[in-house]
Amino acid sequence: MDFSAGHGYLLIGGLILVGAGLLIISLIVNLRVAHSVREELRHREKLLEYYRNIFSQLGVILIGIGVSLFIFFFQQNYQDQRKRETELQQVLAKLAARVARGAPVIETLGEFDEILDEGSAYVGPEHGGSNAAITARGTELAKQVEKILLVERDVDVRDFEILNLSRDLEATFVVNEIDPTLWFNIVRDENEIKYATTQLALDYKDLHEAIGDEAVEAAVAKPDKEPKIKHEVLDILYDADLLRQRSRRFLARACWLFSKGKSFVALAPVDAIETDTKSQQEWIDRAKPVLTQTKSGSGDCFKLLRYGQAS
């Protein structure tokens, strides 16, 4: 029975009202008993006394049940509220930890930014992207590959496993109260971050195989190897862009949720953060006004994203 939904109140109120009504009836019957005593109607007196006792006992029992249920429901509701408060505090603490630990990981994305946004903002080839990162050939391609190999050494994609908020929420009441669209977006971004990190590891392996044992410049200079290397580079760029977009959106959302305190469970998604865009730059332009006004700790949520800043 859900006391908080009002059914408990109705039950308790009904029991007490019925009990009070029976007591009132017993009082009325008692007046008739007194009248029977004066009239010396012994048979009627005994019958009315029987009814009076039944009504008064039932009234007292129903009122007692109502009061007992009220105390029970009050205690249960208090315990549920305390449990909810405790879980909410724990979720907020974990959320703060995710933001704090995720910020340094996001900072490493600056090395991908330098490669992806060379010349102009990176847009995937499927959307007509044609910046220097995509069009590089020959000597420029060799330089690009050297940078990508340096990023492989400097950025451990396994660190992005920290960007997982659903495991902190799935065993709490928050899952039932948080906006379904918001929950879906959290899980989707986590899955795409995992996909991107898995693919990047495979992409790097394929790139090394395409280069072989030769120096990068020598391998790129060979007509039979350059297309293979270019293909692997484009795969890395695609997955790196997916990783940075989903990672930054994840951290932005987590920071925004944390900034709202305990009220975050009742929030609706913010389109500026949740909307998919063709490029990281387009998303940054949409989300920046919201994130710069959202405070977390000593700074705003936008500063945590470190967009365009090398680590």
Side-chain angles (χ1 to χ4, degrees):
M1 186 179 298
D2 189 359
F3 179 63
S4 63
H7 299 297
Y9 283 116
L10 292 176
L11 174 61
I12 291 171
L15 288 173
I16 293 176
L17 284 176
V18 172
L22 290 173
L23 288 179
I24 292 173
I25 292 174
S26 71
L27 292 175
I28 295 173
V29 173
N30 191 57
L31 293 175
R32 302 297 299 273
V33 170
H35 177 73
S36 298
V37 170
R38 287 194 298 269
E39 297 293 330
E40 296 184 354
L41 301 173
R42 303 297 298 174
H43 176 72
R44 185 178 182 186
E45 176 187 345
K46 295 296 184 181
L47 183 61
L48 290 174
E49 284 181 346
Y50 174 76
Y51 288 145
R52 178 195 62 189
N53 293 337
I54 292 295
F55 289 140
S56 63
Q57 289 173 6
L58 284 176
V60 170
I61 290 172
L62 291 178
I63 291 175
I65 292 174
V67 173
S68 298
L69 285 176
F70 175 78
I71 295 173
F72 170 77
F73 281 132
F74 180 82
Q75 292 176 337
Q76 188 67 37
N77 189 56
Y78 176 75
Q79 291 174 357
D80 290 344
Q81 289 296 326
R82 286 293 301 273
K83 181 180 178 181
R84 184 183 188 279
E85 187 74 13
T86 300
E87 282 191 355
L88 191 54
Q89 291 288 1
Q90 292 174 346
V91 169
L92 283 173
K94 291 178 180 179
L95 186 56
R98 293 290 177 187
V99 173
R101 294 172 182 170
V105 175
I106 295 298
E107 186 175 353
T108 64
L109 291 173
E111 296 197 37
F112 280 124
D113 291 336
E114 287 187 334
I115 299 172
L116 288 164
D117 298 327
E118 186 178 353
S120 61
Y122 175 90
V123 178
E126 72 277 12
H127 297 301
S130 59
N131 73 338
I134 293 176
T135 60
R137 296 283 181 179
T139 303
E140 293 302 317
L141 176 60
K143 292 179 180 179
Q144 186 183 59
V145 172
E146 293 285 1
K147 291 180 181 179
I148 288 174
L149 294 177
L150 286 175
V151 174
E152 180 190 17
R153 184 191 64 188
D154 294 342
V155 179
D156 189 347
V157 293
R158 293 173 297 180
D159 292 341
F160 287 86
E161 292 178 2
I162 192 65
L163 303 180
N164 192 310
L165 180 59
S166 63
R167 69 180 62 169
D168 297 335
L169 304 180
E170 59 190 8
T172 70
F173 75 91
V174 175
V175 173
N176 297 322
E177 295 189 15
I178 197 169
D179 185 278
T181 300
L182 197 56
W183 175 248
F184 171 81
N185 288 346
I186 289 172
V187 175
R188 184 188 64 168
D189 283 352
E190 291 175 355
N191 288 337
E192 292 193 346
I193 289 171
K194 183 177 181 180
Y195 170 82
T197 55
T198 301
Q199 288 301 119
L200 273 173
L202 297 175
D203 294 339
Y204 276 122
K205 180 181 178 182
D206 292 340
L207 177 61
H208 283 290
E209 290 178 354
I211 295 171
D213 297 330
E214 299 179 278
V216 173
E217 289 188 6
V220 170
K222 291 186 175 181
D224 60 325
K225 280 194 171 184
E226 183 183 14
K228 295 179 181 179
I229 294 173
K230 181 64 178 178
H231 176 76
E232 301 306 332
V233 165
L234 290 177
D235 284 349
I236 290 175
L237 295 180
Y238 177 86
D239 292 320
D241 183 58
L242 178 64
L243 177 62
R244 68 171 181 168
Q245 288 203 46
R246 296 300 178 257
S247 297
R248 284 195 169 107
R249 182 162 68 181
F250 177 95
L251 186 65
R253 184 192 298 112
C255 182
W256 171 72
L257 289 172
F258 178 69
S259 72
K260 303 303 180 181
K262 297 178 182 179
S263 63
F264 82 90
V265 294
L267 295 175
V270 175
D271 288 341
I273 296 176
E274 303 300 333
T275 301
D276 290 330
T277 56
K278 293 181 179 179
S279 70
Q280 174 84 117
Q281 185 62 57
E282 184 181 347
W283 181 85
I284 288 289
D285 293 340
R286 286 173 177 264
K288 186 175 181 178
V290 174
L291 297 178
T292 51
Q293 297 176 14
T294 305
K295 302 299 179 181
S296 179
S298 59
D300 60 62
C301 292
F302 182 74
K303 291 180 180 179
L304 293 179
L305 304 184
R306 305 283 292 180
Y307 178 61
Q309 302 177 42
S311 60

